[in-house]
């Protein structure tokens, strides 16, 4: 013991002041930046491909169709089972995959999240019950059943499958959000905001929503992944989109047999999806970490708001200035 | 290529063969008269026999019936039976045959598959003639009757057979166990009329295509039924797995509805027949494992008019005909489904080809479960696929006014009359000629665009011998009596 | 707590009843019925009509539902429309394999995810965290069938270490050949673990940042104990909720796994039954799976209730 | 002179923006001695105390020298890596906001036993730990009974939570105790008992650092006193030498005279309402419960508030004061009885319209929990004026800033998130948040508990100002002296029921109920010197 005091204290890393810091030492290193950049790149590649790929696709299609699952010089990533250029498919197929997966999850969270939030924020038990009971009834239905019913009933309709995926995710989102929101909504901060006459919307979205955010952010990434695979699995079963649709998920499902014959036909779209979900999740983590670590939103908000008011005052009525000072 | 028996060792007794077929879950059945799936048929084939089977060219060949003869008007048929024994030791007698036919045609059993084909039987007029012969009487003459006895689900069971769980047949294997959707096993029947099989045990297992793929490669099964052209490419050069490829095992094509515009005009149909690029379809859909079709069913089968010239793509003529028949002004609907792998692909490929020729084709996809029925009424164009069957059966099932599967809506009373007439012709050459004329009519005026005759692909482990190429539904297909393992 | 539990169980029964009506309605809405499907390729309209009568499909749906429900109450789940065998047999044969897969997966996934979630949560941003996060994320992001095919290609076909499918295996074989389980479970684990880890990690982060964790540290509670006794109960809440849903997620994954590895399981049976419009089988399987899901949900609720007593009290 | 247990030399603390929070503090703590750290709110007491554990708030940098036992906790370069070793066993810290320091998911008994076992010198087994934990609970003035041990933290009142947190600290059996405002939220009786208990404890060994605004407690306990102002030590010595003289006792009992020389010029109030004029806020026969209907924590409580009037509420900890306040504020919905505002029924908060919300405002007891940790304090305070009085954001901000300044919280401080404010600063912010509504009824739940006398004065001044604008105030406090100054009438709650009501002066002078008498006795004794105390200490063995 006494030896310790005799020695000079060891040089310190970033002050392990707050408890949290001590436990998460090393966050600030360059590693963080590298990961952030990597995550952004991972995320951006598939998204940009989905957005702008269709514009470039004709270039890739210029060499015309080839033999099925061929790996010849004319097609950089070979061809798929119909002899179509895999690169062209890759360029064309992002929109529907990401669109339907994101759309389904967004819808699920929009509806389910709203229901869950409303149920949690409501101080009336009956509102909670009314909102959550139906959710609880729907919850245990195997999503597989819903997908297959919809897939069988409204065959080959991408919208229907998207809606089905949204539907199966909605109760889950509702419950998740409710559980997370309940803690916040029942706490004194929400009470204080209500006492201040804050609108329900602001209490729910501004504060309770904000407290739910970490849980949701941790969930959204996996949910999107899940949605992509549910759609892909529906195609695997012949319940989803047309097996010829130039969609990443469909392409993977349709070419799966050729994994070892023409690996690109499966691996290229799979890599896109992988980049997307990994990037999305990593970015989500980054944003959350940042949120917990940096000075609170108020600082930034205020500066932004001051700037905004200044602009407004300068532009709009000169009288407003006086009024503002009054 | 083809048979895995090439360079085989000497046949050897003993061993177990594990054969995997696409499964159908709870739908699988032990009742031989309800059979519907390939996996059922294979199982039943091991345990039961039909009176008549179909040979490689889809001609009837003797099975339990040693020989047959008919009255001059082809309404009364006599079948002489073999000296076969059932698994319980009981000897096959005409009464067993009559019992089986009665059971198949039982009015209360709606799901007996052969009932439709055998509905021509006049059961009241059927009888045993002595201990060896059974006499069957038809309601109307048919020279093709023996091949009707070879249809799916026309198996001969033991008199008094009721409980499907206790199958007793004359087949080469005795029942051991069965679990729907999973597995079936049967043991060698030493008293089989054609001599005991080599195998000690036969297991017929159900598995989806992914599982069959990997299992046969890993040596977990010895025989995998119905493999894809992609799989064939995958195992090229694989020393453990060989492909048994059966050429001419059916037909792939498109069906145009000829009972309504635009394809009620033979020119319009001909335009479509001339614009399809058969080679491209074969390359993409069949992985180059098919022979080009000539818009005729049954290439290589009995009654096939092989002298007709091969139809080739002729875009110029196709355009001319299309313009003349007003095809360019219409929007055509291609009704397809994922019911069979490759249907949707073929539909899109066709739509592309038609698009290049200036036609507008919209592909619509329907539910696979009811596709075959829906297809009869929906869309202008549909997919068409048909396994191996005798040409007259094909005509009667697909091209007559009352045919249950008349996908091209080919409804011409005179054609039907000619067909009934042809069926009654006793003399084979004349009958062949009559059938030939009928097929030619359909080829030139009908709505069937039959672009390819795909190979049937089975995979067999190299330790298995004696598996012969044979079109599905024929005698040697899925028959493991003469198969042995190292 | 006991009252709470009882309420939940009663509710679950009501839910199941409602659910069966719902599922029945939905299946009735599908195009075609079992007779159509059965005779899809060998149509004879008259034959179909007879078959339909035989199956009782010509009766009004309400009547059919009531009959079905009456039978069920007497313990008879009916017979399959397509195969003719008792539904209870189909269910019994198919559920075992799926339950085994899901069970083994859960038994492995939960502790692994808990440990990794805690460890990465308390070292958020560290190298270990980044590695684990990236690896599990990537594994969880590979489509199931790609992963299964790749695993089979490597471990079964190339290396020959493990069996590639369950073809022909019986349930008894599973005990003597545990190798059969390895690949399917590995595929199922990839997604499950990845999802669970994320939830546990998020929960851990939140709990670690809280005042009580800070105070516990100030009172000298050592790291491991802090994690296990103080942080875990709070951190587990989102994870437990996620766990309740894992059953469903597993079922989705199981379907692909069942197809690739020829596992004769419930997911395949369910799809097959929907395909062939075999309503009694669909009903029975759905109810069973839903009951399992409900059970998990109720369990999760009770556990969460125990873990965050404050929330329920406020309601 | 022996080497002190804890030695602090030239400790400085800087905020992230460079502001010096603590500037060169020296401190010595010896076993068996109580050192008091006093000073105005925001002077750096908590910051200094945390440094003893090798801790600092977010963004705060420490330097100087802190030695605890043989361990260097803070060195020239900040907190050392050994700091973690002293926490709990050597130095145990009772935080200023105990509410969120308790684990919501665990029963308090389990945590106490765990901590006791953790720091027990030689194991001793489960039973020993359990005995230790019970002893700790008793020392913290909570009954060590099974039902109490099995409760979750949220099932305690504010003052009870404070004591639970204290029990956790005591269960560690540390060599040095750092107690940050241990007396907040405690009624006079409990506080006196706690003071006695702490005195005993100090004599039995550990060194104690007491951070408190409660001069009575400091006088009663402290051997040395260190006065901190703006981060600097400005005085040192015995409490008598350093602290201002003890005020006169609250009450001159049985005197029948107004002892305060008519600080309030209201006519004598028998406690009965004057018949004329409807009261502004009226509660008739209130019942309230928490878990199950029937298990009431408030029984049949009635009260009337007239415009401009201040009604005090006193009572032992756990007697239902907060529950009553929350009922009025509309936050507690499990209640029976009538609430009337201007004669019209007053619904629960969710059903109140904006005007009703504005008219009735509430200041939380546990302020720390009532602020969103992610937004700045000024933002949150200003929202009241925006939402309830329709001010623009900038106007509201200006008003809020001005009000906070008035209370001694500079704008720069208010622009930080709540975690970076001192306990007293936050309490004032919470008050400002409610006051900004210009309410007609202001319910204040112990809003001066974390304030030094001078700062409290600022708040009181504002309360006076509000009353002149006809705002009625419900003032919950344990500080009877303050109560006397503020309140016109006084309600005394005991065990959820109304023990006594009447004019404040009368109640304090001639208490009729046992509960009031006990509170007053304890208050009176608390004013006396420490030496007078130990005789009546209870039999609480420790360790
Ligand atoms: N959520 C709860 N569940 C059960 N009992 C509770 C709950 N909250 C408070 N109580 C109990 O209700 C009683 C009244 O609590 P309340 O908070 O009103 O006391 P208080 O007078 O404000 O005390 P203090 O002076 O300590 O703040 C206490 O005995 C407390 O233990
Ligand atoms: N994390 C922080 N960052 C910046 N400033 C801080 C931080 N924490 C506290 N402060 C400021 O440091 C000063 C001293 O705070 P401290 O909590 O030590 O005061 P205190 O003496 O304990 O006051 P009180 O009696 O009100 O609790 C206050 O003005 C406070 O605003
Ligand atoms: Mg402080
Ligand atoms: Mg209180």
């Amino acid at each position: 013991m006494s030896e310790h005091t005799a020695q000079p204290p060891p040089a310190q890393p970033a002050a392990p002041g707050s408890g949290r810091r001590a436990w998460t030492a090393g966050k600030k290193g360059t590693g963080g930046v590298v990961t952030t950049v990597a995550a952004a790149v991972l995320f951006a590649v598939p998204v940009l491909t989905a957005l702008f790929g269709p514009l470039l696709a004709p270039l890739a299609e210029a060499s015309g169709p080839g033999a099925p699952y061929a790996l010849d010089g004319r097609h950089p990533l070979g061809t798929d089972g119909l002899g179509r250029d895999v690169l062209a498919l890759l360029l064309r197929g992002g929109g529907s995959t990401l669109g339907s997966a994101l759309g389904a999850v967004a819808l699920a969270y929009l509806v389910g999240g709203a229901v869950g939030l409303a149920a949690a924020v409501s101080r009336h038990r009956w509102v909670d019950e009314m909102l959550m009971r139906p959710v609880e009834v729907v919850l245990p239905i195997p999503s597989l059943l819903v997908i297959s019913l919809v897939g069988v009933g409204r065959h080959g309709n991408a919208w229907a499958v998207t809606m089905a995926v949204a539907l199966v995710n909605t109760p889950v989102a509702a419950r998740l959000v409710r559980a997370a929101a309940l803690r916040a909504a029942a706490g004194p901060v929400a009470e204080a905001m209500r006492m201040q006459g804050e609108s329900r919307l602001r209490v729910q979205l501004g504060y309770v929503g904000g407290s739910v955010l970490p849980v949701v952010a941790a969930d959204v990434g996996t949910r999107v992944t899940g949605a992509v695979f549910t759609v892909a699995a529906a195609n695997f079963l012949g319940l989803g989109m047309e097996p010829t649709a130039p969609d990443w998920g469909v392409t993977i499902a349709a070419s799966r047999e050729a994994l070892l014959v023409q690996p690109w036909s499966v691996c290229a779209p799979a890599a896109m999806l992988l980049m997307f979900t990994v990037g999305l999740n990593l970015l989500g983590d980054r944003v959350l970490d940042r949120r917990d670590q940096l000075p609170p939103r108020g600082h930034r908000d205020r500066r932004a708001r001051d700037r905004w008011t200044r602009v407004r005052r300068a532009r709009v009525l000169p009288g407003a200035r006086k009024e503002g000072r009054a | 290529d083809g048979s895995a028996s090439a360079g085989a060792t000497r046949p050897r007794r003993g061993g177990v063969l594990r054969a995997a077929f696409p499964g159908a879950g709870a739908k699988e059945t032990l009742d031989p008269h309800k059979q519907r799936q390939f996996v059922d048929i294979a199982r039943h084939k091991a345990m039961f026999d039909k009176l008549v089977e179909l040979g490689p060219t889809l001609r009837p060949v003797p099975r339990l019936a040693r020989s047959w003869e008919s009255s001059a008007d082809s309404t009364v048929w006599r079948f002489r039976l073999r000296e076969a024994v059932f698994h319980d030791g009981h000897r096959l007698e005409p009464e067993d045959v009559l019992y089986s036919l009665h059971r198949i045609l039982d009015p209360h059993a709606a799901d007996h598959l052969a009932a439709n084909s055998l509905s021509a039987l006049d059961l009241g007029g059927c009888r045993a003639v002595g201990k060896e012969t059974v006499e069957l009487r038809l309601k109307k003459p048919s020279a093709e009757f023996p091949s009707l006895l070879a249809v799916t689900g026309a198996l001969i069971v033991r008199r008094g057979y009721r409980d499907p769980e206790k199958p007793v047949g004359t087949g080469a294997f005795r029942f051991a166990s069965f679990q729907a959707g999973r597995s079936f096993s049967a043991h060698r029947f030493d008293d089989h009329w054609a001599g005991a099989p080599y195998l000690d045990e036969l297991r017929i297992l159900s598995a989806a295509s992914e599982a069959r793929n990997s299992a046969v490669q890993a040596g977990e099964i010895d025989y995998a039924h119905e493999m894809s052209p992609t799989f064939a490419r995958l195992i090229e050069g694989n020393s453990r797995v060989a492909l048994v490829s059966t050429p001419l095992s059916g037909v792939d094509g498109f069906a145009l509805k000829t009972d309504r515009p635009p394809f009620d005009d033979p020119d319009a149909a001909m335009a479509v027949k001339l614009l399809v690029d058969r080679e491209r379809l074969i390359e993409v859909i069949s992985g180059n494992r098919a022979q080009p079709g000539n818009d005729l069913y049954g290439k290589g089968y009995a009654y096939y008019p092989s002298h007709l010239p091969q139809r080739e793509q002729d875009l110029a003529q196709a355009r001319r005909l299309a313009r003349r028949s007003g095809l360019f002004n219409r929007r055509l609907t291609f009704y397809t489904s994922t019911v069979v792998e490759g249907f949707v692909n073929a539909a899109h490929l066709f739509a592309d080809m038609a698009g290049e020729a200036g036609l507008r084709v919209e592909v619509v996809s329907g539910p696979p479960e009811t596709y075959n029925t829906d297809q009869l009424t929906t869309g202008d164009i549909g997919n068409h696929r048909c396994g191996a069957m005798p040409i007259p059966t094909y005509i009667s099932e697909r091209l007559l006014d009352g045919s249950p599967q008349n996908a091209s809506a080919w409804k011409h009373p005179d054609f039907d009359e000619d067909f009934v007439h042809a069926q009654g012709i006793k003399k084979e050459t004349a009958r062949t000629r009559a059938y030939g004329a009928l097929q030619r009519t359909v080829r030139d005026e009908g709505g069937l665009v039959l672009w390819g005759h795909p190979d049937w692909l089975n995979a067999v482990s190299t330790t298995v011998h004696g598996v012969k190429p044979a079109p599905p539904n024929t005698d040697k297909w899925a028959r493991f009596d003469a198969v042995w393992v190292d | 707590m006991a009252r709470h539990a009882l309420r939940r169980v009663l509710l679950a029964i009501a839910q199941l009843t409602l659910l069966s009506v719902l599922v029945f309605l939905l299946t009735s809405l599908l195009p075609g019925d079992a007779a159509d499907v059965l005779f899809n390729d060998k149509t004879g309209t008259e034959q179909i009509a007879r078959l339909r009568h035989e199956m009782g499909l010509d009766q009004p749906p309400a009547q059919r539902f009531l009959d079905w429900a009456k039978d069920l109450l007497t313990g008879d789940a009916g017979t399959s429309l397509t195969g003719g065998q008792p539904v209870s047999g189909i269910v019994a044969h198919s559920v075992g394999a799926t339950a085994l897969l899901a069970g083994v997966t859960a038994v492995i996934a939960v502790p692994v995810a808990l440990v990794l979630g805690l460890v990465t949560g308390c070292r958020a941003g560290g190298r270990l965290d980044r590695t684990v996060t990236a690896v599990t994320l990537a594994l969880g992001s590979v489509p199931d069938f790609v992963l299964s095919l790749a695993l089979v290609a490597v471990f079964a076909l190339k290396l020959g270490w493990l069996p590639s499918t369950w073809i022909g295996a019986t349930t008894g074989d599973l005990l003597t050949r545990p190798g059969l389980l390895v690949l399917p479970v590995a595929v199922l684990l990839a997604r499950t673990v990845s999802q669970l880890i994320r939830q546990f990690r998020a929960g851990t982060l939140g709990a670690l940042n809280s005042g009580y964790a800070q105070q516990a540290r100030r009172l000298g509670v050592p790291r491991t104990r802090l994690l296990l006794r103080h942080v875990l109960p709070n951190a587990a809440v989102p994870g437990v909720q996620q766990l309740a849903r894992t059953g469903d997620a597993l079922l989705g994954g199981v379907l692909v796994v069942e197809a690739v590895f020829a596992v004769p399981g419930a997911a395949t049976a369910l799809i097959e039954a929907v395909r062939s419009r075999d309503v009694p089988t669909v009903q029975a399987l759905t109810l069973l799976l839903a009951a399992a899901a409900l059970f998990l949900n109720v369990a999760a609720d009770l556990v969460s209730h125990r873990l965050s007593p404050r929330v329920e009290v406020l309601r | 002179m022996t080497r002190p247990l804890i030695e602090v030399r030239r400790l400085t603390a800087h905020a992230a923006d460079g502001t010096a929070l603590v500037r060169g503090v020296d401190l010595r703590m010896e076993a068996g001695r109580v050192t008091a750290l006093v000073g105005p709110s925001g002077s750096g007491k908590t910051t200094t105390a945390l440094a003893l554990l090798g801790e600092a708030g977010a963004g705060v940098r420490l330097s100087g020298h802190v030695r605890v036992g043989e361990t260097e906790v803070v060195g020239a370069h900040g907190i050392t890596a050994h700091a973690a070793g002293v926490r709990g066993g050597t130095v145990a810290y009772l935080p200023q906001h105990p509410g969120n320091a308790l684990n919501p998911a665990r029963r308090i008994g389990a945590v106490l036993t765990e901590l006791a076992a953790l720091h027990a010198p030689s194991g001793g087994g489960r039973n020993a730990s359990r005995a230790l934990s019970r002893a700790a609970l008793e020392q913290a003035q909570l009954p060590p009974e099974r039902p109490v041990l099995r409760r979750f933290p949220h099932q305690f009142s504010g003052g009870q939570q404070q004591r639970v947190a204290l029990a956790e600290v005591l269960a560690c059996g540390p060599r040095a105790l750092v107690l940050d405002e241990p007396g907040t939220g405690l009624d006079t009786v409990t506080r006196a008992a706690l003071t006695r208990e702490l005195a005993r404890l100090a004599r039995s060994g550990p060194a104690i650092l007491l951070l408190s605004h409660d001069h009575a407690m400091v006088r009663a306990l402290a051997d040395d006193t260190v006065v901190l102002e703006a981060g600097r030590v400005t005085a040192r010595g015995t409490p008598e030498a350093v602290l201002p003289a003890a005020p006169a006792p609250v009450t001159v009992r049985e005197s029948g005279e107004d002892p305060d020389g008519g600080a309030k010029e209201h006519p004598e109030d028998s406690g009965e309402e004057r018949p004329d004029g409807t009261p502004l806020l009226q509660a008739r026969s209130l019942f309230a419960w928490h878990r199950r209907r029937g298990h009431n924590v408030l029984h049949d409580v009635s009260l009337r508030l007239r415009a401009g009037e201040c009604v005090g509420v006193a009572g032992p900890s756990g007697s239902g004061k907060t529950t009553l306040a929350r009922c009025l504020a509309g936050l507690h919905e499990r209640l029976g009885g009538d609430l009337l505002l201007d004669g019209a029924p007053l619904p629960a908060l969710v059903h109140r319209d904006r005007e009703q919300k504005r008219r009735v405002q509430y200041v939380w007891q546990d302020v720390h929990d009532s602020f969103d940790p992610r937004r700045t304090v000024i933002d949150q305070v200003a929202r009241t004026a925006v939402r309830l009085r329709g001010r623009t954001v900038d106007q509201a901000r200006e008003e809020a800033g001005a009000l906070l300044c008035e209370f001694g919280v500079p704008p720069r401080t208010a622009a930080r998130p709540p975690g970076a404010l001192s306990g007293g600063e936050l309490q004032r912010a919470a008050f400002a948040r409610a006051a900004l509504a210009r309410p007609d009824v202001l319910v204040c739940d112990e809003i001066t508990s974390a304030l030094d006398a001078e700062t409290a004065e600022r708040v009181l001044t504002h309360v006076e100002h509000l009353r002149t604008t006809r705002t009625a105030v419900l003032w919950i406090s344990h500080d009877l002296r303050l109560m006397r100054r503020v309140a016109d009438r006084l309600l005394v709650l005991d065990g959820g029921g109304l023990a006594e009501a009447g004019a404040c002066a009368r109640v304090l002078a001639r208490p009729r109920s046992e509960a009031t008498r006990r509170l007053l006795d304890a208050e009176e004794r608390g004013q006396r010197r420490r030496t007078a105390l130990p005789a009546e200490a209870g039999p609480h063995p420790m360790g």
Side-chain angles (χ1 to χ4, degrees), chain A residues 65-71 81-84 152 155-156 236-239 241-245 256-258 260-262, chain B residues 209-210 213 228 230-231 233-234 280 283-285 287 336-338 341 344-346 348-349 363-369:
Chain A
Y69 297 129
L71 264 175
L82 275 171
R84 296 174 298 181
V152 167
H155 187 78
F236 180 89
L237 293 167
L239 298 171
M241 288 178 234
E242 292 282 278
T244 55
R256 62 186 186 269
E257 209 185 3
L260 300 176
V261 175
Q262 212 287 68
Chain B
S209 70
E210 257 87 13
N213 274 357
S228 68
T230 312
F231 174 80
R233 275 176 68 179
L234 183 65
R280 176 72 182 155
E283 180 188 25
V284 173
I285 308 298
T336 184
S337 159
T338 51
E341 215 181 310
V344 179
N345 285 358
H348 281 275
L349 215 54
V363 177
V364 174
S365 190
E369 293 82 2

Side-chain angles (χ1 to χ4, degrees), chain D residues 46 96 180 422-423:
Chain D
T46 302
Q96 195 169 359
D180 201 345
S422 82

Side-chain angles (χ1 to χ4, degrees), chain A residues 5 12 123-124 189 191-192 194-199 202 207 291-292 296-297 299 302 305 309, chain D residues 70 77-79 326 333 351 357 361 364 369 372 374 379-380 383-384 387-388 394 397 415 433:
Chain A
T5 31
Q12 256 179 274
R123 302 271 304 167
H124 299 290
V189 177
E191 284 180 350
R194 281 195 211 103
M195 184 63 85
Q196 281 181 301
E198 291 288 12
S199 65
R202 198 171 162 113
Y207 171 68
R291 191 178 111 102
D292 284 345
R297 275 179 288 150
H299 273 309
R302 185 158 55 87
R305 197 160 47 217
T309 8
Chain D
E70 305 303 318
H77 302 285
I79 297 158
R326 288 173 57 88
E333 294 175 17
H351 302 296
K357 278 183 186 164
Q361 282 285 309
W364 269 256
D369 277 354
D372 180 355
R374 295 188 199 288
D379 266 352
Q380 299 186 52
R383 288 299 294 174
T384 306
R387 293 294 306 176
L388 295 179
D394 295 291
R397 199 172 259 291
R433 180 170 61 183

Side-chain angles (χ1 to χ4, degrees), chain D residues 151 154-155 157 159-160 290 317-323 365 478:
Chain D
R151 280 207 220 168
H154 69 272
Q155 293 166 337
S157 77
Q160 287 165 339
H290 278 284
S317 173
S319 59
K321 301 181 295 298
T322 298
T323 310
Q365 179 175 13
H478 293 300

